[in-house]
Amino acid sequence: MKVFLAVVSCLIVSVGAYYFLGKYQSAFEADQACHAEKWSNYADNSSFGCDHDLETKQWLLYEVMPDHSPAVVLKRFRY
């Protein structure tokens, strides 16, 4: 029983640390990180972009598909 409680406690601490420490401090920092990654990996390619999602408090790096299908989210920058 003690081992089970220790494992569950470790999982809770790990998930909490990932959720709280894996975020940017502000929307500005997340915006800068998104645009920096876009520029360094995709240069001025107009098929890639960054957009702000207010509901989930994150910036999204996405790729626009040429056949008008939904965009593909490549990376999320939470704040």
Side-chain angles (χ1 to χ4, degrees):
M1 186 65 173
K2 289 181 182 180
V3 173
F4 176 73
L5 289 175
V7 170
V8 170
S9 297
C10 286
L11 285 174
I12 290 172
V13 168
S14 298
V15 169
Y18 173 77
Y19 182 75
F20 290 110
L21 299 176
K23 296 171 36 171
Y24 292 94
Q25 294 297 315
S26 68
F28 176 77
E29 290 177 359
D31 170 39
Q32 293 293 301
C34 184
H35 283 91
E37 185 161 331
K38 176 186 173 271
W39 187 83
S40 67
N41 293 336
Y42 308 107
D44 289 332
N45 189 338
S46 62
S47 295
F48 298 90
C50 289
D51 193 24
H52 187 209
D53 185 359
L54 291 171
E55 293 177 4
T56 59
K57 296 177 75 174
Q58 61 188 351
W59 276 85
L60 305 171
L61 176 61
Y62 64 92
E63 179 181 7
V64 177
M65 305 315 278
D67 59 352
H68 300 291
S69 59
V72 175
V73 175
L74 303 173
K75 188 168 181 182
R76 299 171 190 272
F77 300 86
R78 297 181 305 138
Y79 64 92

